Structure formats: C-alpha cells, structure tokens
Amino acid sequence: MSSSITFAVGGDHAGFDYKADLIAHLASKKISSKDFGTYSADSVDYPDFVHPVAEAVEKGEFTFGLL
C-alpha cells in the first residue's frame, strides 16, 4: 500500500517515546513522515517543535501535522 499522504511529526520530551512509535507505525504502513523533533527525552519547550510542524503543513510540504 502506497500513500500520497504525508505527516510532519513533532513533540516535546513528554511524548518522545510515543512519537518514535508513531513514526515507526507510519513507516510500516508505507506512509511518509518527517520528524521535526525533539530528538531525546531531555526537557524542551513544546512551541519550539509546534511552529516548524505547523509551518511545514501551512506551506503544503506535508498533508498533516501530528503533535
């Protein structure tokens, strides 16, 4: 199954493990995604990752954003 749907994915440290599982699930379904961070469980500010995801969707680079 191939999909033209794409996801921009981002989140803060609290959702780090869940985000990794989500990206793996999307890949298993052959759904394209890009990880906008965070890239560790270290404490970060959520808006630092929300804005790039939202901007990528707004520009039409991705179909959906998952935060």
Side-chain angles (χ1 to χ4, degrees), residues 10 12 15 17-18 23 28-29 31 34 47 54-55 59-60 62 67:
D12 65 7
D17 291 333
Y18 180 72
I23 290 170
S28 77
K29 301 295 183 184
I31 298 172
K34 179 178 177 183
E55 288 173 358
K59 290 178 183 175
F62 296 90
L67 298 163

Side-chain angles (χ1 to χ4, degrees), residues 35-57:
D35 185 353
F36 281 79
T38 188
Y39 305 110
S40 76
D42 295 341
S43 183
V44 295
D45 291 327
Y46 186 67
D48 292 342
F49 303 96
V50 171
H51 293 289
V53 169
E55 288 173 358
V57 173

